Amino acid sequence: MATQADKNVMISEKVAPVLVARTLGPFDLVVVFVAIVLFINNSAGLQFAGPSVFIYWVVAFATFLITGAFVTAQLGRMFPEEGSLYVWTHKVLGPFWGFFAGFVAWWPGPVALVFIGILVANFLQQFAVFVKPSCAFPCILTENWQIGIVVLVVMWFSATMSYLKMRVTQNYVNVQFFVYSTAIFLIGLAGVVWLLKGHPSSTNFAHGWYPFQGEKLTLGLPYNLTFFSFAILALLGIETPLNMGVEVTGGEKAIRTYLLWGCIIVMAAYLWTTWGNMVVIKAGGANGTTGGAEAVGLAMGRWAGAAVSLALAWVFLTVGVVYNYAFGRLVFVSGLEKRLPHQIGKVNKNKVPANAITLQTVIASILAIVVFFVTGAGNSDPYKAFYILYAGVTIVWCISTGLLFLDIFFAKRREPELFERERRIPLGWLYVCGAVGAVINLFAVLFIFVGSWYPSGFPTLAEWDWWMLGFTVVSVVSGVLIYVISQAARRGKTDEQFIAEGVAQAEIREDLPSG
């Protein structure tokens, strides 16, 4: 008799393990996790909240990062397949919700590539100021189109690196982990050096700890709560390393290692750098992106600041590589599942999904062109369009993470024997993690509506809120429409029917590179 698992098999389960190489070990997953989750510029951005930022950090760690790690570990052990959330949700809620979860988990990837390119440009600008202090920030890349060119170069560099053998690409990425760790250590150390030089702390930590500060704008909620949403944004992507599930060696140990050490590194790094930044520069006084490098320059000298700026520019260039290949796996699985043209499910001679990466990079490039060459043409402000994308996609990403947390409740019902076999902690605690994480997701989305992330571009909160609502609706409807179109193209056939017809074997024969 066929088991429940046999009835719920996916095409990608049959095809992906044959097409891609199993090459990622526990340390590789830690590096990928840190690259995906830890954007150290967030320390500078969140210091505008004052000392209350530490409350936001701790609450976000406890209710979102740690709970997410437990849920991800359980689901990752149950379904160690390519595509993580796409597959997990398909397994426990069915094909529509699986594809939808995969779509809303993927959509942040192209937007993040735009943001990553901007970070590279920003740190290059900061580097130039350290080298030539008489030059006012920014003294290079002063035109919108110049930043746009940098963003496009970052994207296509990331694609080019992602086309190589996964082991070659990952070895390159692993080097940046050590450079990143050094830069992070120096940002926090800047606070220690500042105090040792006899300077008082630039931020008064005796005040400003009350988290419910600011004008009450939406539903009576204070403006400061939008910083909590920003803290959640800084932790999104916990399940993303398992987008490459069948490329992982080490099984359960690899999952446990990356979640344990990845979470420890992320929490320590955010707290350490936030403190160092605020000791050297008064809360609210640092550049919201490059403030960490500024702090190093002020405490240790401008050449130290220049070195950290240049190092972080290269780090984020490399982070773009990780985002491209990691999020590209979701597009790859969509191609294998015939939710996108089957060509998207092909691999190149290096056994990586090159077509999926190319499609994703083209989409990200179109976004960059719109932001910097259309809405940002001439002297117009490109960041209004960018922050619509940035905050809007945070809402969409939170939808995907909400599904991640909810999956844990359906997983036991759908696969009770498998659930119990892979469970390592009390059932009640897993359910607590799922419930708390889902609720925090809702709050994170709500708090985005209580204050604009870019006040100079959105003078009224109503305008900001309408853009957030519109972006969310368009994103959700787009995911639903793609599914409906794919169902028509599949003629309503299930994965089981396709597999019975030999589609998986045909895909393997067609997609494997010759020779």
Side-chain angles (χ1 to χ4, degrees):
M1 179 180 292
T3 65
Q4 180 64 38
D6 293 333
K7 296 178 181 178
N8 202 24
V9 70
M10 299 172 67
I11 301 171
S12 59
E13 288 182 72
K14 299 290 186 179
V15 180
V18 181
L19 298 185
V20 298
R22 189 177 293 273
T23 187
L24 299 175
F27 177 70
D28 298 317
L29 291 186
V30 172
V31 173
V32 172
F33 179 89
V34 170
I36 292 290
V37 177
L38 181 59
F39 276 67
I40 210 62
N41 57 287
N42 289 322
S43 299
L46 275 163
Q47 49 86 30
F48 285 89
S52 66
V53 65
F54 291 99
I55 294 177
Y56 291 138
W57 276 137
V58 171
V59 173
F61 295 156
T63 62
F64 187 84
L65 185 68
I66 295 174
T67 56
F70 282 113
V71 170
T72 297
Q74 175 69 18
L75 295 172
R77 286 194 299 265
M78 289 180 67
F79 311 113
E81 308 295 341
E82 200 84 346
S84 68
L85 186 59
Y86 185 138
V87 175
W88 304 343
T89 309
H90 180 110
K91 291 287 189 180
V92 303
L93 289 176
F96 167 74
W97 285 109
F99 173 79
F100 182 76
F103 177 81
V104 292
W106 164 79
W107 185 208
V111 177
L113 286 173
V114 179
F115 177 57
I116 289 165
I118 293 172
L119 287 179
V120 173
N122 289 164
F123 280 106
L124 289 176
Q125 290 171 326
Q126 187 65 59
F127 170 76
V129 171
F130 278 126
V131 172
K132 189 178 180 181
S134 60
C135 178
F137 185 95
C139 58
I140 62 170
L141 305 176
T142 57
E143 302 292 334
N144 295 339
W145 67 267
Q146 294 172 336
I147 296 177
I149 292 296
V150 172
V151 172
L152 291 173
V153 168
V154 170
M155 289 177 181
W156 286 100
F157 172 80
S158 72
T160 301
M161 291 298 300
S162 299
Y163 296 149
L164 304 178
K165 288 183 178 180
M166 190 61 196
R167 187 66 264 161
V168 173
T169 303
Q170 192 60 44
N171 287 343
Y172 163 76
V173 169
N174 288 353
V175 173
Q176 68 81 36
F177 175 80
F178 298 102
V179 177
Y180 203 6
S181 299
T182 302
I184 288 168
F185 175 73
L186 290 174
I187 293 172
L189 184 64
V192 177
V193 172
W194 183 262
L195 296 176
L196 290 177
K197 286 184 174 181
H199 301 294
S201 172
S202 297
T203 298
N204 185 355
F205 288 99
H207 305 285
W209 289 87
Y210 185 62
F212 303 107
Q213 303 174 48
E215 184 180 356
K216 295 181 179 180
L217 301 172
T218 301
L219 300 177
L221 297 172
Y223 175 89
N224 219 42
L225 283 175
T226 198
F227 287 107
F228 181 73
S229 296
F230 203 79
I232 295 298
L233 167 64
L235 302 174
L236 288 167
I238 189 170
E239 84 289 350
T240 305
L242 295 183
N243 286 353
M244 299 161 287
V246 300
E247 298 170 67
V248 174
T249 62
E252 180 179 342
K253 178 183 178 182
I255 296 173
R256 183 174 62 249
T257 299
Y258 104 74
L259 288 171
L260 174 62
W261 287 105
C263 288
I264 290 173
I265 292 168
V266 166
M267 290 187 291
Y270 275 138
L271 292 174
W272 173 246
T273 55
T274 302
W275 176 82
N277 196 198
M278 294 174 69
V279 167
V280 178
I281 305 172
K282 184 178 180 180
N287 182 296
T289 300
T290 62
E294 280 188 273
V296 173
L298 288 171
M300 303 180 187
R302 66 186 181 94
W303 289 109
V308 169
S309 298
L310 192 59
L312 289 176
W314 177 73
V315 163
F316 284 112
L317 173 67
T318 307
V319 165
V321 177
V322 180
Y323 263 75
N324 214 335
Y325 70 60
F327 282 83
R329 263 52 178 188
L330 291 172
V331 184
F332 172 57
V333 170
S334 296
L336 293 178
E337 291 295 317
K338 299 186 180 297
R339 298 301 174 185
L340 294 175
H342 79 282
Q343 291 86 351
I344 306 303
K346 289 182 176 293
V347 296
N348 65 7
K349 65 180 181 180
N350 294 321
K351 304 190 76 173
V352 298
N355 290 351
I357 290 165
T358 299
L359 174 62
Q360 178 173 266
T361 307
V362 168
I363 292 171
S365 298
I366 292 171
L367 294 176
I369 290 169
V370 170
V371 170
F372 290 101
F373 297 94
V374 179
T375 63
N379 294 322
S380 56
D381 184 0
Y383 291 100
K384 182 172 183 178
F386 170 72
Y387 273 98
I388 291 171
L389 289 173
Y390 192 43
V393 85
T394 300
I395 298 174
V396 175
W397 207 345
C398 281
I399 293 173
S400 77
T401 312
L403 288 169
L404 168 69
F405 284 109
L406 292 175
D407 278 350
I408 203 67
F409 296 101
F410 297 97
K412 181 174 173 59
R413 184 185 68 179
R414 193 64 179 264
E415 299 282 0
E417 294 182 5
L418 179 60
F419 186 95
E420 287 302 322
R421 186 169 70 244
E422 300 299 337
R423 183 168 62 85
R424 303 291 183 269
I425 61 174
L427 178 63
W429 177 246
L430 273 177
Y431 284 169
V432 167
C433 290
V436 170
V439 169
I440 289 299
N441 259 278
L442 289 175
F443 281 129
V445 170
L446 174 63
F447 295 158
I448 290 175
F449 289 86
V450 307
S452 167
W453 287 14
Y454 188 52
S456 60
F458 299 89
T460 66
L461 183 61
E463 180 185 358
W464 169 260
D465 287 347
W466 277 112
W467 275 111
M468 293 301 96
L469 184 61
F471 183 90
T472 304
V473 170
V474 169
S475 298
V476 169
V477 170
S478 296
V480 174
L481 283 177
I482 294 172
Y483 178 82
V484 171
I485 294 170
S486 72
Q487 277 294 93
R490 288 165 56 118
R491 298 183 178 86
K493 290 183 179 180
T494 65
D495 280 15
E496 294 88 342
Q497 289 172 317
F498 275 121
I499 291 170
E501 294 173 1
V503 167
Q505 290 78 8
E507 285 285 347
I508 292 171
R509 288 194 300 269
E510 180 181 347
D511 294 350
L512 277 177
S514 60

